[in-house]
Amino acid sequence: GAGVSQSPRYKVAKRGQDVALRCDPISGHVSLFWYQQALGQGPEFLTYFQNEAQLDKSGLPSDRFFAERPEGSVSTLKIQRTQQEDSAVYLCASSSSERDNEQFFGPGTRLTVL
Amino acid sequence: GENVEQHPSTLSVQEGDSAVIKCTYSDSASNYFPWYKQELGKRPQLIIDIRSNVGEKKDQRIAVTLNKTAKHFSLHITETQPEDSAVYFCAATLSGTSYGKLTFGQGTILTVHP
C-alpha cells in the first residue's frame, strides 16, 4: 500500500519568503508527527496531531512555524518569513493510533533558505 | 524531557564483522525503543524495536538489548554486509498512556568495507 508521502521533495526559498510543506499520511492513521532534521543530526520533534487536533506543539522553534491538519488526514507545515537557520529536512511520520508507537516516515522535504 | 545519547558517531567495519551501537536515555519512564536505518537522502526506516518488558529481541542478523536499570540499549548487527552501510538512529519514547513522540539519538554512520 501507499506509504507516507511529502511534497515538495525539495524547496529553495529566499530569506523572508513563506513556505508550505505538505504531508499525506498513511490512510486511516490517527497520529501524525512533524520532525526537523538538521544536517548530520537526528530528527527533532516539532509537533503532533491526533486526528485534526494539535495536541503538542512544544517543539516548534518559533511563532513563525505553524502546522494544521484540518480534516484529520493531510497536514501542512507552514514557515513564515524563512531564515537561514530553518534550512533542514522536514520529516512527517504517521502511526495507526495514539497508542501504536511504530511510526512510518515520509521521504522528507529538504528546505534550503538562501 | 527525554534525552538520548548515541555512540559512536562513526563506525567502520569489514564485511562479515559485527557492529555494535549503544544508546543511553534519561527518562526512566520511557518504555519503547526503536532503531531506524536511514540511507543517504532516504526516509528513516524502522529495522527493529524493543519494549521495556523485554531484555532482548532478535531478527535475523539484527538484535537489540535493553538494560532498564542502567538505562541503555544497544543495536547489534552480525555478519555485516556492504548494504548495511547507512546512518542508524536510536530513539526512545513513552508508549501506552501518551502518543509516543520520539526522542532520537545523534546517529551513527556505519560503513561496511567489502
Side-chain angles (χ1 to χ4, degrees):
Chain A
V4 179
S5 61
Q6 292 184 247
S7 60
R9 291 294 316 278
Y10 304 91
K11 177 69 178 178
V12 178
K14 292 183 179 179
R15 189 174 55 184
Q17 282 185 330
D18 297 348
V19 298
L21 313 180
R22 177 187 170 107
C23 171
D24 284 81
I26 293 173
S27 178
H29 275 196
V30 168
S31 296
L32 187 145
F33 302 80
W34 283 97
Y35 294 88
Q36 181 189 59
Q37 186 174 25
L39 189 63
Q41 301 294 318
E44 293 192 353
F45 171 80
L46 293 176
T47 188
Y48 165 73
F49 289 87
Q50 181 179 316
N51 295 307
E52 70 279 3
Q54 187 175 22
L55 299 186
D56 188 341
K57 53 183 181 179
S58 63
L60 295 177
S62 76
D63 58 8
R64 297 185 296 103
F65 287 71
F66 171 77
E68 60 183 5
R69 193 186 186 197
E71 298 179 356
S73 55
V74 171
S75 177
T76 304
L77 176 66
K78 298 179 180 178
I79 309 173
Q80 296 177 324
R81 305 181 303 283
T82 53
Q83 300 178 6
Q84 286 189 320
E85 58 262 33
D86 299 335
S87 296
V89 175
Y90 290 85
L91 293 164
C92 174
S94 69
S95 65
S96 61
S97 76
E98 67 272 21
R99 297 191 177 206
D100 179 356
N101 290 114
E102 182 173 355
Q103 295 184 23
F104 297 84
F105 281 82
T109 294
R110 180 177 297 278
L111 173 65
T112 303
V113 182
L114 303 176
Chain B
E2 176 64 276
N3 184 53
V4 177
E5 297 288 332
Q6 182 172 346
H7 299 281
S9 56
T10 62
L11 180 58
S12 184
V13 300
Q14 289 296 127
E15 182 176 2
D17 288 350
S18 295
V20 180
I21 304 171
K22 299 182 179 182
C23 290
T24 60
Y25 60 99
S26 62
D27 188 349
S28 57
S30 290
N31 59 4
Y32 174 69
F33 308 93
W35 286 87
Y36 284 85
K37 175 183 180 182
Q38 187 175 32
E39 298 178 9
L40 191 63
K42 301 287 184 65
R43 71 187 73 198
Q45 292 198 309
L46 180 72
I47 56 171
I48 195 166
D49 56 14
I50 192 167
R51 300 188 185 273
S52 59
N53 58 347
V54 176
E56 183 175 357
K57 183 176 178 181
K58 189 173 182 180
D59 182 4
Q60 299 184 342
R61 297 186 297 110
I62 296 173
V64 57
T65 59
L66 171 65
N67 183 326
K68 287 176 54 180
T69 303
K71 291 189 287 188
H72 67 69
F73 55 113
S74 300
L75 177 70
H76 305 254
I77 305 174
T78 59
E79 301 172 23
T80 53
Q81 302 168 1
E83 51 265 38
D84 294 330
S85 296
V87 182
Y88 290 80
F89 292 98
C90 62
T93 191
L94 173 64
S95 75
T97 58
S98 75
Y99 53 86
K101 68 179 180 182
L102 295 173
T103 301
F104 285 85
Q106 299 88 338
T108 296
I109 302 173
L110 173 64
T111 304
V112 180
H113 299 281

